[in-house]
Coordinates of all heavy atoms in Angstrom, one line a residue:
M127 N -7.8 8.2 3.0 CA -7.7 7.6 4.3 C -6.9 8.4 5.3 O -7.0 8.3 6.5 CB -7.3 6.2 4.3 CG -5.9 5.9 4.0 SD -5.6 4.1 4.2 CE -4.1 3.9 3.3
Y128 N -5.9 9.1 4.7 CA -5.0 9.9 5.6 C -5.6 11.2 6.1 O -6.5 11.8 5.5 CB -3.7 10.3 4.8 CG -2.9 9.1 4.4 CD1 -2.7 8.7 3.1 CD2 -2.4 8.3 5.4 CE1 -2.0 7.6 2.8 CE2 -1.7 7.1 5.1 CZ -1.4 6.8 3.8 OH -0.7 5.7 3.5
E129 N -5.2 11.5 7.3 CA -5.6 12.8 8.0 C -4.4 13.7 8.1 O -3.3 13.2 8.3 CB -6.1 12.5 9.4 CG -7.2 11.4 9.5 CD -8.5 11.8 8.9 OE1 -8.8 13.1 8.8 OE2 -9.3 11.0 8.5
N130 N -4.6 14.9 8.0 CA -3.5 15.9 8.3 C -3.4 16.2 9.8 O -3.9 17.2 10.3 CB -3.8 17.2 7.5 CG -3.2 17.1 6.1 OD1 -2.2 16.5 5.9 ND2 -3.9 17.7 5.2
D131 N -2.8 15.3 10.5 CA -2.7 15.5 11.9 C -1.3 16.0 12.3 O -1.0 16.1 13.5 CB -3.0 14.2 12.6 CG -2.0 13.1 12.3 OD1 -1.0 13.4 11.5 OD2 -2.1 12.0 12.8
G132 N -0.5 16.4 11.3 CA 0.8 17.0 11.7 C 1.9 16.0 11.8 O 3.1 16.3 11.8
S133 N 1.6 14.7 11.9 CA 2.6 13.7 12.1 C 2.9 12.9 10.8 O 3.6 12.0 10.8 CB 2.2 12.7 13.2 OG 1.0 12.0 12.8
S134 N 2.2 13.3 9.8 CA 2.3 12.5 8.5 C 3.5 12.9 7.8 O 4.1 13.9 8.0 CB 1.0 12.8 7.7 OG 0.9 14.1 7.4
E135 N 3.9 12.0 6.9 CA 5.0 12.2 6.0 C 4.6 13.2 4.9 O 3.4 13.3 4.6 CB 5.5 10.9 5.3 CG 5.9 9.9 6.3 CD 7.0 9.0 5.9 OE1 7.3 9.0 4.7 OE2 7.7 8.5 6.8
A136 N 5.5 13.9 4.3 CA 5.2 15.0 3.3 C 4.3 14.5 2.2 O 3.4 15.1 1.7 CB 6.5 15.6 2.8
W137 N 4.7 13.3 1.7 CA 3.9 12.8 0.5 C 2.5 12.6 0.8 O 1.6 12.6 -0.1 CB 4.6 11.5 0.0 CG 4.6 10.3 1.0 CD1 5.7 10.1 1.8 CD2 3.6 9.4 1.3 NE1 5.4 9.0 2.6 CE2 4.1 8.5 2.3 CE3 2.3 9.2 0.8 CZ2 3.4 7.5 2.8 CZ3 1.6 8.1 1.3 CH2 2.1 7.3 2.3
Q138 N 2.1 12.4 2.1 CA 0.7 12.1 2.4 C -0.2 13.3 2.1 O -1.4 13.2 2.0 CB 0.6 11.6 3.8 CG 1.3 10.3 4.0 CD 1.2 9.8 5.5 OE1 0.8 10.5 6.4 NE2 1.6 8.5 5.6
D139 N 0.5 14.5 2.0 CA -0.3 15.7 1.7 C -0.9 15.6 0.3 O -1.9 16.3 0.0 CB 0.5 17.0 1.8 CG 0.9 17.3 3.3 OD1 0.2 16.7 4.2 OD2 1.8 18.0 3.5
D140 N -0.3 14.9 -0.6 CA -0.8 14.8 -1.9 C -1.5 13.5 -2.2 O -1.8 13.1 -3.3 CB 0.4 14.8 -2.9 CG 1.1 16.2 -2.8 OD1 0.4 17.2 -2.7 OD2 2.3 16.3 -2.8
A141 N -1.8 12.7 -1.1 CA -2.4 11.4 -1.3 C -3.8 11.6 -1.9 O -4.6 12.5 -1.5 CB -2.5 10.7 0.1
N142 N -4.1 10.8 -2.8 CA -5.5 10.8 -3.4 C -6.6 10.4 -2.5 O -7.7 10.7 -2.6 CB -5.5 9.9 -4.7 CG -6.3 10.4 -5.8 OD1 -6.6 11.6 -5.9 ND2 -6.7 9.5 -6.7
C143 N -6.1 9.7 -1.4 CA -7.1 9.1 -0.5 C -7.4 10.0 0.7 O -8.0 9.6 1.6 CB -6.7 7.7 0.0 SG -5.0 7.8 0.7
L144 N -6.8 11.2 0.7 CA -7.0 12.2 1.8 C -8.5 12.4 2.0 O -9.2 12.8 1.0 CB -6.4 13.5 1.4 CG -5.0 13.8 2.0 CD1 -4.6 15.2 1.6 CD2 -5.0 13.7 3.5
G145 N -9.0 12.1 3.1 CA -10.4 12.3 3.4 C -11.3 11.2 2.9 O -12.5 11.2 3.2
V146 N -10.8 10.2 2.2 CA -11.6 9.1 1.7 C -11.8 8.1 2.9 O -10.9 7.9 3.7 CB -10.9 8.3 0.6 CG1 -11.7 7.1 0.2 CG2 -10.8 9.3 -0.6
D147 N -12.9 7.5 3.0 CA -13.3 6.5 4.0 C -12.2 5.5 4.2 O -12.0 4.7 3.3 CB -14.6 5.9 3.7 CG -15.1 4.9 4.7 OD1 -14.3 4.7 5.8 OD2 -16.1 4.3 4.6
P148 N -11.5 5.4 5.3 CA -10.4 4.4 5.5 C -10.9 3.0 5.4 O -10.1 2.1 5.0 CB -10.0 4.7 7.0 CG -10.5 6.0 7.3 CD -11.7 6.2 6.5
D149 N -12.2 2.7 5.7 CA -12.7 1.4 5.6 C -12.5 0.8 4.2 O -12.4 -0.4 4.0 CB -14.2 1.3 5.9 CG -14.5 1.5 7.4 OD1 -13.5 1.4 8.1 OD2 -15.6 1.6 7.8
L150 N -12.5 1.7 3.2 CA -12.3 1.2 1.8 C -10.9 0.6 1.7 O -10.7 -0.4 0.9 CB -12.3 2.5 0.9 CG -13.0 2.4 -0.5 CD1 -14.4 1.9 -0.4 CD2 -12.9 3.7 -1.2
F151 N -10.0 1.1 2.4 CA -8.6 0.6 2.3 C -8.2 -0.5 3.2 O -7.2 -1.1 3.1 CB -7.6 1.8 2.5 CG -7.7 2.8 1.4 CD1 -8.6 3.8 1.4 CD2 -6.9 2.7 0.3 CE1 -8.8 4.7 0.4 CE2 -7.0 3.6 -0.7 CZ -7.9 4.6 -0.7
F152 N -9.1 -0.8 4.2 CA -9.0 -1.9 5.1 C -10.2 -2.7 5.1 O -11.0 -2.8 6.0 CB -8.7 -1.4 6.5 CG -7.4 -0.6 6.6 CD1 -7.4 0.8 6.4 CD2 -6.2 -1.3 6.8 CE1 -6.2 1.5 6.5 CE2 -5.0 -0.6 6.9 CZ -5.0 0.8 6.7
P153 N -10.5 -3.4 3.9 CA -11.7 -4.1 3.7 C -11.7 -5.4 4.6 O -10.6 -5.9 4.9 CB -11.7 -4.5 2.3 CG -10.3 -4.4 1.8 CD -9.6 -3.4 2.7
E154 N -12.9 -5.8 4.9 CA -13.0 -7.1 5.6 C -12.4 -8.2 4.7 O -12.3 -8.1 3.5 CB -14.5 -7.5 5.8 CG -15.3 -6.5 6.7 CD -15.0 -6.7 8.1 OE1 -14.9 -7.9 8.5 OE2 -14.8 -5.8 8.9
R155 N -12.0 -9.3 5.4 CA -11.4 -10.4 4.6 C -12.3 -10.9 3.5 O -13.5 -11.1 3.8 CB -11.1 -11.5 5.6 CG -10.1 -12.5 5.1 CD -9.9 -13.6 6.2 NE -8.8 -14.4 5.7 CZ -7.5 -14.2 5.9 NH1 -7.2 -13.1 6.5 NH2 -6.6 -15.0 5.4
G156 N -11.8 -10.9 2.3 CA -12.6 -11.4 1.2 C -13.4 -10.3 0.5 O -14.0 -10.6 -0.5
A157 N -13.5 -9.1 1.1 CA -14.2 -8.0 0.5 C -13.5 -7.4 -0.7 O -12.2 -7.6 -0.8 CB -14.6 -7.0 1.5
S158 N -14.2 -6.7 -1.5 CA -13.5 -6.2 -2.7 C -12.5 -5.1 -2.4 O -12.7 -4.2 -1.5 CB -14.6 -5.6 -3.6 OG -14.0 -4.9 -4.7
T159 N -11.4 -5.1 -3.1 CA -10.4 -4.0 -3.0 C -10.4 -3.1 -4.2 O -9.6 -2.2 -4.3 CB -9.0 -4.6 -2.8 OG1 -8.7 -5.5 -4.0 CG2 -8.9 -5.5 -1.6
R160 N -11.4 -3.3 -5.1 CA -11.4 -2.6 -6.3 C -11.5 -1.1 -6.2 O -10.7 -0.4 -6.8 CB -12.6 -3.1 -7.2 CG -12.5 -2.8 -8.7 CD -13.5 -3.5 -9.4 NE -14.8 -3.4 -8.8 CZ -15.7 -2.3 -9.1 NH1 -15.3 -1.4 -9.9 NH2 -16.8 -2.3 -8.5
E161 N -12.4 -0.7 -5.3 CA -12.6 0.8 -5.2 C -11.3 1.5 -4.6 O -10.9 2.5 -5.1 CB -13.8 1.1 -4.2 CG -15.1 0.9 -4.9 CD -16.2 1.2 -3.9 OE1 -16.5 2.4 -3.7 OE2 -16.8 0.3 -3.3
A162 N -10.7 0.8 -3.6 CA -9.5 1.4 -3.1 C -8.4 1.5 -4.1 O -7.7 2.5 -4.3 CB -9.0 0.6 -1.9
K163 N -8.3 0.4 -4.9 CA -7.2 0.4 -5.9 C -7.5 1.4 -7.0 O -6.6 1.9 -7.6 CB -7.2 -1.0 -6.5 CG -6.5 -2.0 -5.6 CD -6.4 -3.4 -6.2 CE -5.6 -4.3 -5.3 NZ -5.4 -5.7 -5.9
E164 N -8.8 1.7 -7.2 CA -9.1 2.7 -8.2 C -8.6 4.1 -7.7 O -8.2 4.9 -8.5 CB -10.6 2.7 -8.5 CG -10.8 2.1 -9.9 CD -12.2 1.6 -10.1 OE1 -13.1 2.3 -9.6 OE2 -12.4 0.5 -10.6
V165 N -8.8 4.4 -6.4 CA -8.3 5.6 -5.8 C -6.8 5.7 -6.0 O -6.3 6.7 -6.4 CB -8.8 5.8 -4.4 CG1 -8.2 7.0 -3.8 CG2 -10.3 5.7 -4.2
C166 N -6.2 4.6 -5.7 CA -4.7 4.6 -5.8 C -4.2 4.8 -7.2 O -3.1 5.4 -7.4 CB -4.2 3.2 -5.3 SG -4.5 3.0 -3.5
R167 N -5.0 4.3 -8.2 CA -4.5 4.3 -9.5 C -4.3 5.8 -10.0 O -3.4 6.1 -10.7 CB -5.5 3.7 -10.5 CG -4.9 3.1 -11.7 CD -5.9 2.7 -12.8 NE -7.2 2.2 -12.3 CZ -7.5 0.9 -12.1 NH1 -6.6 0.0 -12.2 NH2 -8.7 0.6 -11.7
G168 N -5.1 6.7 -9.5 CA -5.0 8.1 -9.9 C -4.1 8.9 -8.9 O -4.2 10.1 -8.9
C169 N -3.4 8.2 -8.1 CA -2.6 8.9 -7.0 C -1.2 9.2 -7.4 O -0.5 8.3 -7.9 CB -2.6 8.0 -5.7 SG -1.7 8.7 -4.4
V170 N -0.8 10.5 -7.2 CA 0.6 10.9 -7.7 C 1.7 10.4 -6.7 O 2.9 10.4 -7.1 CB 0.7 12.4 -7.9 CG1 -0.2 12.9 -9.0 CG2 0.4 13.1 -6.6
V171 N 1.3 10.0 -5.5 CA 2.4 9.6 -4.6 C 2.3 8.0 -4.3 O 2.8 7.6 -3.3 CB 2.2 10.3 -3.2 CG1 2.5 11.8 -3.5 CG2 0.9 10.1 -2.6
R172 N 1.8 7.3 -5.3 CA 1.7 5.9 -5.2 C 3.0 5.2 -4.8 O 3.0 4.3 -4.0 CB 1.1 5.3 -6.5 CG 0.4 4.0 -6.3 CD -0.6 3.8 -7.4 NE -0.1 3.6 -8.7 CZ 0.3 2.4 -9.2 NH1 0.1 1.3 -8.5 NH2 0.7 2.3 -10.4
E173 N 4.0 5.6 -5.5 CA 5.3 4.9 -5.3 C 5.8 5.2 -3.8 O 6.2 4.3 -3.1 CB 6.4 5.5 -6.2 CG 6.2 5.2 -7.7 CD 6.6 3.7 -8.0 OE1 7.7 3.4 -7.6 OE2 5.8 3.0 -8.6
D174 N 5.7 6.4 -3.4 CA 6.1 6.8 -2.0 C 5.2 6.0 -1.0 O 5.8 5.5 0.0 CB 5.8 8.3 -1.7 CG 6.8 9.1 -2.5 OD1 8.0 8.9 -2.4 OD2 6.3 10.0 -3.3
C175 N 4.0 5.8 -1.3 CA 3.1 5.1 -0.4 C 3.4 3.7 -0.3 O 3.5 3.1 0.8 CB 1.6 5.3 -0.9 SG 0.4 4.4 0.1
L176 N 3.7 3.1 -1.5 CA 4.1 1.7 -1.5 C 5.4 1.4 -0.8 O 5.5 0.5 0.0 CB 4.2 1.2 -3.0 CG 4.6 -0.3 -3.2 CD1 3.6 -1.2 -2.5 CD2 4.7 -0.6 -4.7
E177 N 6.4 2.3 -1.0 CA 7.7 2.1 -0.4 C 7.5 2.3 1.1 O 8.2 1.6 1.9 CB 8.7 3.1 -0.9 CG 9.2 2.8 -2.3 CD 9.7 1.4 -2.5 OE1 10.4 0.8 -1.6 OE2 9.5 0.7 -3.5
F178 N 6.7 3.2 1.6 CA 6.5 3.4 3.0 C 5.9 2.2 3.6 O 6.3 1.7 4.7 CB 5.5 4.6 3.1 CG 5.1 4.9 4.6 CD1 5.8 5.7 5.4 CD2 3.9 4.3 5.1 CE1 5.5 5.9 6.7 CE2 3.5 4.6 6.4 CZ 4.3 5.4 7.2
A179 N 4.9 1.6 2.9 CA 4.3 0.3 3.5 C 5.3 -0.8 3.5 O 5.3 -1.6 4.5 CB 3.1 0.0 2.6
L180 N 6.1 -0.9 2.4 CA 7.1 -2.0 2.4 C 8.1 -1.8 3.5 O 8.5 -2.8 4.2 CB 7.8 -2.0 1.0 CG 6.9 -2.5 -0.2 CD1 7.6 -2.3 -1.5 CD2 6.5 -3.9 0.0
R181 N 8.6 -0.6 3.7 CA 9.6 -0.2 4.7 C 9.1 -0.5 6.1 O 9.8 -1.0 6.9 CB 9.9 1.2 4.5 CG 11.3 1.6 5.0 CD 11.7 3.0 4.5 NE 10.8 4.0 4.9 CZ 10.2 4.9 4.0 NH1 10.5 4.8 2.7 NH2 9.4 5.8 4.4
N182 N 7.8 -0.3 6.3 CA 7.3 -0.4 7.6 C 6.6 -1.8 7.9 O 6.0 -2.0 8.9 CB 6.3 0.7 7.9 CG 6.9 2.0 8.1 OD1 7.6 2.3 9.1 ND2 6.9 2.9 7.0
G183 N 6.7 -2.6 6.8 CA 6.1 -3.9 7.0 C 4.6 -3.9 7.3 O 4.1 -4.7 8.1
E184 N 3.9 -2.9 6.6 CA 2.5 -2.9 6.9 C 1.8 -4.2 6.5 O 1.9 -4.6 5.3 CB 1.9 -1.7 6.0 CG 2.3 -0.3 6.5 CD 1.7 0.1 7.8 OE1 0.7 -0.6 8.2 OE2 2.1 1.1 8.4
K185 N 1.1 -4.8 7.4 CA 0.5 -6.1 7.1 C -0.9 -6.0 6.6 O -1.5 -6.9 6.1 CB 0.5 -6.9 8.4 CG 2.0 -7.3 8.8 CD 2.0 -8.7 9.2 CE 3.4 -9.2 9.7 NZ 4.5 -8.3 9.4
F186 N -1.6 -4.9 6.9 CA -3.0 -4.8 6.6 C -3.3 -3.6 5.6 O -2.6 -2.6 5.7 CB -3.8 -4.6 7.9 CG -3.6 -5.7 8.8 CD1 -2.7 -5.5 9.9 CD2 -4.1 -6.9 8.7 CE1 -2.5 -6.5 10.8 CE2 -3.9 -8.0 9.6 CZ -3.0 -7.7 10.7
G187 N -4.3 -3.8 4.8 CA -4.8 -2.7 4.0 C -4.2 -2.6 2.6 O -3.2 -3.3 2.3
I188 N -4.8 -1.7 1.8 CA -4.3 -1.4 0.5 C -3.3 -0.2 0.6 O -3.7 0.9 1.1 CB -5.4 -1.0 -0.4 CG1 -6.5 -2.1 -0.5 CG2 -4.9 -0.7 -1.8 CD1 -6.0 -3.4 -1.1
W189 N -2.1 -0.4 0.2 CA -1.1 0.7 0.2 C -0.5 0.8 -1.2 O -0.1 -0.3 -1.7 CB 0.0 0.4 1.2 CG -0.4 0.5 2.6 CD1 -1.0 -0.5 3.3 CD2 -0.2 1.5 3.6 NE1 -1.3 -0.1 4.6 CE2 -0.8 1.1 4.8 CE3 0.4 2.8 3.5 CZ2 -0.7 1.9 5.9 CZ3 0.4 3.6 4.6 CH2 -0.2 3.2 5.8
G190 N -0.4 2.0 -1.8 CA 0.3 2.1 -3.1 C -0.5 1.2 -4.2 O 0.1 0.8 -5.1
G191 N -1.7 1.0 -3.9 CA -2.5 0.2 -4.9 C -2.3 -1.3 -4.8 O -2.9 -2.0 -5.6
L192 N -1.6 -1.7 -3.8 CA -1.4 -3.2 -3.7 C -1.9 -3.7 -2.4 O -1.9 -3.1 -1.3 CB 0.1 -3.5 -3.7 CG 0.8 -3.1 -5.0 CD1 2.3 -3.6 -5.0 CD2 0.1 -3.6 -6.3
S193 N -2.4 -4.9 -2.4 CA -3.0 -5.6 -1.3 C -1.8 -6.2 -0.4 O -0.6 -6.2 -0.9 CB -3.9 -6.8 -1.7 OG -3.1 -7.7 -2.4
E194 N -2.2 -6.7 0.7 CA -1.1 -7.3 1.6 C -0.4 -8.4 0.8 O 0.8 -8.5 0.9 CB -1.8 -8.0 2.8 CG -2.5 -7.1 3.7 CD -3.9 -7.6 4.1 OE1 -4.0 -8.7 4.6 OE2 -4.9 -6.9 3.8
R195 N -1.2 -9.3 0.2 CA -0.6 -10.4 -0.5 C 0.4 -9.9 -1.7 O 1.4 -10.5 -1.9 CB -1.7 -11.3 -1.1 CG -1.1 -12.6 -1.7 CD -2.1 -13.3 -2.5 NE -3.2 -13.7 -1.7 CZ -4.2 -14.5 -2.1 NH1 -4.2 -15.0 -3.3 NH2 -5.2 -14.8 -1.3
E196 N -0.1 -8.9 -2.4 CA 0.8 -8.4 -3.5 C 2.0 -7.8 -2.9 O 3.1 -7.9 -3.6 CB 0.0 -7.4 -4.3 CG -1.1 -8.0 -5.1 CD -2.2 -7.0 -5.6 OE1 -2.4 -6.0 -5.0 OE2 -2.9 -7.4 -6.6
R197 N 1.9 -7.1 -1.8 CA 3.2 -6.5 -1.2 C 4.1 -7.6 -0.7 O 5.3 -7.5 -0.8 CB 2.8 -5.6 0.0 CG 2.1 -4.3 -0.5 CD 2.1 -3.2 0.6 NE 1.6 -3.7 1.8 CZ 0.3 -3.7 2.1 NH1 -0.6 -3.3 1.3 NH2 -0.1 -4.1 3.3
R198 N 3.5 -8.7 -0.2 CA 4.3 -9.8 0.3 C 5.1 -10.3 -0.8 O 6.3 -10.7 -0.7 CB 3.4 -10.8 0.9 CG 4.0 -11.5 2.1 CD 3.1 -12.3 3.0 NE 2.0 -13.0 2.3 CZ 0.8 -12.8 2.7 NH1 0.4 -12.0 3.7 NH2 -0.2 -13.5 2.1
R199 N 4.5 -10.4 -2.0 CA 5.2 -11.0 -3.2 C 6.4 -10.1 -3.5 O 7.5 -10.6 -3.8 CB 4.2 -11.1 -4.3 CG 4.8 -11.9 -5.5 CD 3.8 -12.3 -6.4 NE 3.0 -11.2 -6.9 CZ 1.7 -11.3 -7.2 NH1 1.0 -12.4 -7.1 NH2 1.0 -10.2 -7.6
I200 N 6.2 -8.8 -3.5 CA 7.3 -7.9 -3.8 C 8.4 -8.0 -2.8 O 9.6 -8.1 -3.2 CB 6.8 -6.4 -3.8 CG1 5.9 -6.2 -5.0 CG2 8.0 -5.4 -3.8 CD1 5.4 -4.8 -5.2
R201 N 8.1 -8.1 -1.5 CA 9.1 -8.3 -0.5 C 9.9 -9.5 -0.7 O 11.1 -9.6 -0.6 CB 8.5 -8.3 0.9 CG 8.2 -6.9 1.5 CD 8.3 -6.9 3.0 NE 7.2 -7.7 3.5 CZ 6.0 -7.2 3.8 NH1 5.7 -6.0 3.6 NH2 5.1 -8.0 4.3
R202 N 9.2 -10.6 -1.1 CA 9.8 -11.9 -1.3 C 10.8 -11.8 -2.6 O 11.9 -12.2 -2.5 CB 8.8 -13.0 -1.6 CG 9.3 -14.3 -1.2 CD 8.2 -15.3 -1.1 NE 7.2 -15.2 -2.2 CZ 5.9 -15.2 -2.0 NH1 5.4 -15.2 -0.8 NH2 5.1 -15.1 -3.0
Q203 N 10.3 -11.1 -3.6 CA 11.1 -11.0 -4.8 C 12.3 -10.1 -4.5 O 13.4 -10.5 -5.0 CB 10.3 -10.3 -5.9 CG 9.3 -11.2 -6.6 CD 8.3 -10.5 -7.5 OE1 8.2 -9.2 -7.4 NE2 7.5 -11.2 -8.2
R204 N 12.2 -9.1 -3.7 CA 13.3 -8.3 -3.4 C 14.3 -9.0 -2.6 O 15.5 -8.9 -2.7 CB 12.9 -7.0 -2.7 CG 12.2 -6.0 -3.6 CD 11.9 -4.7 -2.9 NE 11.3 -3.8 -3.8 CZ 10.9 -2.6 -3.4 NH1 11.0 -2.2 -2.2 NH2 10.3 -1.8 -4.3
A205 N 13.8 -9.8 -1.6 CA 14.7 -10.6 -0.8 C 15.5 -11.6 -1.6 O 16.7 -11.8 -1.4 CB 13.9 -11.3 0.3
Q206 N 14.8 -12.2 -2.6 CA 15.5 -13.1 -3.5 C 16.6 -12.4 -4.3 O 17.7 -12.9 -4.5 CB 14.5 -13.8 -4.4 CG 13.7 -14.9 -3.8 CD 12.6 -15.4 -4.7 OE1 12.3 -14.9 -5.7 NE2 12.0 -16.5 -4.3
A207 N 16.2 -11.2 -4.8 CA 17.2 -10.4 -5.6 C 18.4 -10.1 -4.8 O 19.5 -10.2 -5.3 CB 16.5 -9.2 -6.1
V208 N 18.2 -9.8 -3.5 CA 19.4 -9.5 -2.7 C 20.2 -10.7 -2.5 O 21.5 -10.6 -2.5 CB 18.9 -9.0 -1.3 CG1 20.0 -8.9 -0.3 CG2 18.2 -7.6 -1.4
R209 N 19.6 -11.9 -2.4 CA 20.4 -13.1 -2.2 C 21.0 -13.6 -3.5 O 21.7 -14.6 -3.6 CB 19.5 -14.2 -1.6 CG 19.1 -14.0 -0.2 CD 18.6 -15.2 0.5 NE 17.5 -15.8 -0.2 CZ 16.2 -15.6 0.1 NH1 15.9 -14.8 1.1 NH2 15.2 -16.1 -0.6
G210 N 20.6 -12.9 -4.7 CA 21.2 -13.3 -5.9 C 20.5 -14.4 -6.6 O 21.0 -15.0 -7.5
E211 N 19.2 -14.7 -6.1 CA 18.5 -15.8 -6.7 C 17.6 -15.2 -7.9 O 17.2 -14.0 -7.8 CB 17.5 -16.4 -5.7 CG 18.3 -17.1 -4.6 CD 17.3 -17.5 -3.5 OE1 16.1 -17.4 -3.6 OE2 17.8 -17.9 -2.4
T212 N 17.4 -16.0 -8.9 CA 16.6 -15.5 -10.0 C 15.1 -15.7 -9.8 O 14.3 -15.0 -10.4 CB 17.0 -16.2 -11.3 OG1 16.7 -17.6 -11.1 CG2 18.4 -16.0 -11.7
G213 N 14.8 -16.6 -8.9 CA 13.4 -16.9 -8.7 C 12.8 -17.8 -9.8 O 11.6 -18.2 -9.8
A214 N 13.6 -18.2 -10.8 CA 13.1 -19.0 -11.9 C 13.2 -20.5 -11.5 O 14.0 -20.9 -10.7 CB 14.0 -18.8 -13.1
Ligands
SF4_319 S1 -1.4 5.1 -3.2 FE1 -3.5 4.8 -2.5 S2 -3.3 4.5 -0.3 FE2 -1.4 5.4 -1.0 S3 -1.6 7.5 -0.8 FE3 -2.3 7.1 -2.8 S4 -4.4 6.8 -2.7 FE4 -3.7 6.6 -0.7

């Protein structure tokens, strides 16, 4: 989904989704995310991508192989960890 427009972060040069149809990563509500996640699975910069999305509060699309909802869960878990809660 990424383009080399000169403004991208270094890790995006190694993105598995370079040139892949962005629609795959921003599916309609309720549409399958399987194909996008499969592209992410083989991506060497998955961690960088996920951290980028978490850092920037990306609300839409598949980033680092995770959906919006899955990223929200990570953000919540991290926030709990910072507060010293176990979440149990
Ligand atoms: S993890 Fe997925 S969305 Fe992120 S750069 Fe890799 S292929 Fe693209």
